[in-house]
Amino acid sequence: MKAQLSQEDIAEIKELFGTELQGLDPEAFDRLHKELRQKYHPDKFERYDDEVVREMAKDKFQRIEKLAEKVKAHFAGESTIAAPAYGSGTNYADEDAIFGFDDMKIEIMTRDKDLKYKLFGTFLRWLERGDKFKIPKTNAKITIDQDHRGNRVGFVEAIRIYLTFTAEDPIETIIDWLYERLNGRADALIIEGKRLPVEKLALAAYIRQKAFLGLKAPD
């Protein structure tokens, strides 16, 4: 049985290589891969005093290399593309699916020093441990885990939050709100310990999967 490129892999290709898989051929991919290797090679970041910057570069380089092997296998005909994570046959895609989660841990790595203000609203200049924010048009709440201040040169910041919502809250509204504020501003996203590309398909699929409670009882 052939290996498969998951939908998360497909989303990550777009995130890292800047184009859809179907828009690439082996030569174009090799060229982009070479450029990214040069840009994010860990040796280029050894001069940085900030350990977070070095770790982020190392992590991104490893992601690029791991993904490149999968793409090369795809071009060689050694893998296929998996069906979307939520589609027919998956319970959490059912129109009668219900969702809820208490304190879903979300970690956001960003170089955008203003992201925390755009995420929670400008009325909070500094966010402190225990602060809560209500997502508009829902009763869902985000709780801040710790104080957040920007690091020094290069600016890398970790924003750690917890998301709580119930079956009464529209999950699409929650996902849309979160994605709109992270898209183009976040460098990395970790939900309940799993790293995801900052891409709506992957974000929606994983939140749905983790928060799936079951199906509504028939009337």
Side-chain angles (χ1 to χ4, degrees):
M1 183 177 179
K2 290 185 177 180
Q4 288 189 326
L5 278 172
S6 70
Q7 289 299 308
E8 289 181 10
D9 292 331
I10 299 300
E12 201 167 19
I13 289 169
K14 183 177 180 181
E15 177 199 359
L16 294 177
F17 291 89
T19 187
E20 303 280 358
L21 177 61
Q22 58 265 36
L24 290 170
D25 56 37
E27 290 185 2
F29 176 76
D30 286 343
R31 183 172 62 254
L32 288 171
H33 182 208
K34 182 178 180 180
E35 291 174 358
L36 288 172
R37 279 181 57 87
Q38 293 175 342
K39 182 176 181 180
Y40 292 105
H41 197 285
D43 289 349
K44 294 188 64 175
F45 293 84
E46 285 300 315
R47 68 180 184 276
Y48 282 81
D49 292 333
D50 196 323
E51 184 178 354
V52 176
V53 173
R54 296 198 304 270
E55 286 300 314
M56 285 185 66
K58 179 181 177 182
D59 179 68
K60 193 160 190 175
F61 183 79
Q62 291 174 341
R63 289 172 62 204
I64 290 167
E65 292 301 279
K66 183 177 180 180
L67 192 61
E69 290 301 314
K70 294 183 179 182
V71 175
K72 290 176 181 177
H74 174 74
F75 285 137
E78 298 171 359
S79 69
T80 59
I81 298 176
Y86 52 95
S88 59
T90 54
N91 287 338
Y92 54 91
D94 194 290
E95 62 180 13
D96 290 327
I98 54 176
F99 306 92
F101 204 101
D102 186 24
D103 285 344
M104 179 181 289
K105 183 179 179 181
I106 301 176
E107 296 176 276
I108 306 160
M109 297 299 293
T110 180
R111 293 173 182 271
D112 184 343
K113 63 184 179 181
D114 293 325
L115 177 57
K116 57 182 169 290
Y117 313 134
K118 294 171 184 175
L119 186 62
F120 299 100
T122 56
F123 66 92
L124 288 176
R125 184 59 185 171
W126 295 118
L127 303 172
E128 298 180 351
R129 182 181 292 112
D131 281 348
K132 294 183 183 295
F133 180 85
K134 182 175 176 291
I135 295 178
K137 300 179 181 178
T138 75
N139 287 316
K141 291 183 175 60
I142 285 176
T143 304
I144 307 304
D145 180 62
Q146 57 187 335
D147 296 348
H148 299 297
R149 300 290 192 276
N151 292 337
R152 50 188 185 278
V153 178
F155 194 93
V156 177
E157 185 170 30
I159 302 174
R160 183 177 298 162
I161 62 177
Y162 293 91
L163 170 64
T164 296
F165 60 99
T166 71
E168 302 301 318
D169 297 306
I171 192 169
E172 290 299 337
T173 300
I174 295 169
I175 292 169
D176 287 346
W177 181 87
L178 188 60
Y179 177 71
E180 286 173 5
R181 282 153 183 78
L182 297 180
N183 185 34
R185 300 187 181 108
D187 297 304
L189 184 64
I190 302 172
I191 299 179
E192 288 293 308
K194 182 177 178 63
R195 185 183 182 108
L196 297 171
V198 185
E199 198 280 330
K200 190 173 181 180
L201 178 65
L203 177 66
Y206 195 66
I207 289 180
R208 283 172 172 270
Q209 179 183 349
K210 296 299 292 185
F212 178 62
L213 297 177
L215 302 178
K216 293 179 182 177
D219 295 331

